[in-house]
Amino acid sequence: MTATPAHTALWPAPHARGAVDATVHVPGSKSVTNRALVLASLASEPGWLRRPLRSRDTLLMAGALRALGVGIEETVSSSSSPAGAGTPTGPGEAWRVIPSTLHGPATVDVGNAGTVMRFLPPVATLADGPVRFDGDPRAYERPLHGVIDALRALGARIDDESRGALPLTVHGGGGLDGGPVEIDASSSSQFVSALLLSAPRFNQGVEVRHTGSSLPSMPHIRMTVDMLRAVGAQVDTPESGGEPNVWRVTPGALLGRDLTIEPDLSNAQPFLAAALVTAGTVVIPDWPERTTQPGDRLREIFTEMGGSCELTERGLEFTGSGAVHGIDVDLGEVGELTPGIAAVAALADSPSTLRGVAHLRLHETDRLAALTKEINELGGDVTETADGLHIRPRRLHGGIFHTYDDHRMATAGAILGLAVDGVQIENVATTAKTLPDFPELWAGMLGN
């Protein structure tokens, strides 16, 4: 008998029979891990990444950097710090990153990872030789023009047959002049981060001026800036007294650092939602007191929707009250949280309006259309707006919840399944993009 392929298999989303009470150790942040890999690869000395996320997106990033000549050694030990490297941070995996002269020819598989397809073309300009970028079919549809056009303006040679998208080849010349450049990053803040991350290695650094309207996901740009500064880069930003929508990075050497990766707070969302939906309690260990991760907004948003939370020695303790309230919220800076919030809103006691997320139409899938279709097919009442969703709660029923190869669609379906019997998730394996072993973590939380 032939096994059903993982991408078409249906996963019966577990139905909660009572309040959850669990501690969930969420793996490391994808956004931090992939930025740290790039910065460590461009440093002037080796560095360590502690507790990095091992997922499809981060393994694609590591594989791409190896193809360009970077050494990345993976170790698992009882102490995640080697002798002499300071206080051990506990058991776990560590990656030692050993920079090297970047070279081509090389081929990079970006999968459907926005960070890989956007952060690495600037790195490839520093390589000596051609670097070809390719990926999943959906990756061909995701915007890349901001990075391509900016790199050309800064002196790079790129062949993309005028698509402004994958596949493409960067003809690395061993360096890039850099300097001032204007881009429209309104479709993705990653266009800005991509240029900033490699800028210390450009001959003139870079001055990035955003010329578009709104700039989504600003916390991710702040994350990029903070991480650049942590490895010795000089960065001027609008928040530090610079011009609005202008970021400047001075050329200079980057330090090899010993960095422990924070838990991925956006991936904590489904587990916090479980506490909210079931009137239970979930603890997420190692939740940072200060962070640039967008997922930190969940404390505020899910509290407004009916929960309560506290940072303790155990971590973030989140408890549902037994009631789930609708919300009117602008998610422009934290768009990746939209699918999970939409799922909770569909189970609320009053309508919700989620605003400021028109750019989600260009993510792993058109998330606004996908959420509308899938929730409505379970009996919901969701309508798309120009920049978001309006959700009127209705009594939902079981059915197949399609994921469109989008990890956050899969976890949104799992949230609905807690309260709605008979929900089946198509291709739950797509969660491996950023949250490996999600089905096992979910079952463990429920005591299954």
Side-chain angles (χ1 to χ4, degrees):
M1 180 177 177
T2 303
T4 302
H7 67 279
T8 58
L10 297 179
W11 179 66
H15 186 62
R17 303 301 174 185
V20 301
D21 184 3
T23 297
V24 180
H25 290 267
V26 177
S29 163
K30 178 220 37 178
S31 298
V32 175
T33 299
N34 274 357
R35 284 166 172 79
L37 280 169
V38 172
L39 292 172
S41 298
L42 298 178
S44 58
E45 57 192 345
W48 286 90
L49 274 61
R50 315 287 176 189
R51 300 178 187 166
L53 174 67
R54 280 185 59 89
S55 72
R56 186 183 187 218
D57 279 17
T58 60
L59 293 175
L60 285 167
M61 179 67 85
L65 291 166
R66 288 188 180 110
L68 293 172
V70 178
I72 301 176
E73 302 172 352
E74 303 182 32
T75 63
V76 180
S77 63
S78 58
S79 169
S80 61
S81 289
T87 305
T89 55
E93 186 166 1
W95 291 356
R96 181 164 173 80
V97 182
I98 305 167
S100 179
T101 301
L102 303 177
H103 61 74
T107 299
V108 169
D109 176 11
V110 310
N112 192 18
T115 50
V116 182
M117 74 177 71
R118 291 164 183 153
F119 292 177
L120 288 191
V123 175
T125 67
L126 306 172
D128 184 10
V131 181
R132 178 169 174 78
F133 289 82
D134 209 336
D136 297 352
R138 172 61 182 174
Y140 288 22
E141 303 172 22
R142 300 185 68 181
L144 197 53
H145 55 85
V147 174
I148 295 171
D149 293 347
L151 290 175
R152 283 185 176 136
L154 295 172
R157 179 184 159 208
I158 300 175
D159 291 338
D160 69 333
E161 298 180 359
S162 302
R163 281 184 298 266
L166 294 173
L168 59 86
T169 299
V170 177
H171 294 273
L176 194 69
D177 287 341
V181 65
E182 294 186 350
I183 64 170
D184 180 354
S186 53
S187 60
S188 177
S189 69
Q190 290 177 351
F191 295 170
V192 174
S193 289
L195 297 170
L196 300 184
L197 286 168
S198 293
R201 291 284 302 273
F202 297 166
N203 296 336
Q204 302 174 43
V206 81
E207 176 188 283
V208 179
R209 185 178 300 270
H210 167 60
T211 59
S213 52
S214 61
L215 186 56
S217 303
M218 276 298 297
H220 279 126
I221 296 180
R222 288 193 283 270
M223 176 187 293
T224 297
V225 169
D226 280 5
M227 292 183 69
L228 275 162
R229 288 172 172 163
V231 294
Q234 180 179 328
V235 189
D236 296 325
T237 71
E239 293 86 354
S240 60
E243 296 179 60
N245 292 327
V246 176
W247 293 264
R248 295 183 180 89
V249 179
T250 301
L254 298 179
L255 306 173
R257 296 297 301 270
D258 192 320
L259 176 67
T260 299
I261 307 296
E262 297 175 352
D264 193 314
L265 306 188
S266 294
N267 277 340
Q269 180 181 39
F271 305 101
L272 300 180
L276 183 57
V277 167
T278 69
T281 297
V282 167
V283 177
I284 307 292
D286 302 315
W287 194 286
E289 290 188 18
R290 177 192 173 276
T291 181
T292 52
Q293 287 193 60
D296 197 43
R297 276 281 305 278
L298 289 167
R299 292 194 285 169
E300 168 197 336
I301 293 168
F302 278 172
T303 295
E304 187 174 343
M305 296 186 81
S308 61
C309 65
E310 182 182 6
L311 271 177
T312 70
E313 291 182 355
R314 298 174 63 201
L316 181 71
E317 297 185 18
F318 188 87
T319 302
S321 65
V324 180
H325 308 308
I327 191 171
D328 186 329
V329 61
D330 188 330
L331 299 175
E333 290 202 346
V334 293
E336 65 193 49
L337 304 180
T338 302
I341 293 170
V344 172
L347 304 171
D349 57 14
S350 58
S352 294
T353 300
L354 312 183
R355 295 177 283 105
V357 288
H359 61 285
L360 293 190
R361 295 187 171 99
L362 300 171
H363 275 224
E364 280 82 344
T365 188
D366 179 342
R367 284 179 171 166
L368 300 184
L371 287 164
T372 300
K373 179 177 183 293
E374 297 307 314
I375 295 175
N376 286 351
E377 289 196 353
L378 299 182
D381 186 357
V382 181
T383 55
E384 280 193 61
T385 65
D387 71 339
L389 300 171
H390 187 61
I391 302 168
R392 289 166 290 274
R394 295 286 186 271
R395 183 177 180 84
L396 302 181
H397 55 72
I400 296 175
F401 192 93
H402 298 91
T403 63
Y404 308 89
D405 294 322
D406 186 334
H407 55 132
R408 300 208 191 278
M409 286 295 295
T411 53
I415 293 167
L416 292 169
L418 292 172
V420 182
D421 214 350
V423 174
Q424 298 183 82
I425 311 295
E426 170 264 338
N427 189 17
V428 74
T430 194
T431 52
K433 177 178 169 67
T434 62
L435 187 53
D437 304 321
F438 170 73
E440 291 78 11
L441 286 169
W442 199 246
M445 173 191 70
L446 294 168
N448 294 349

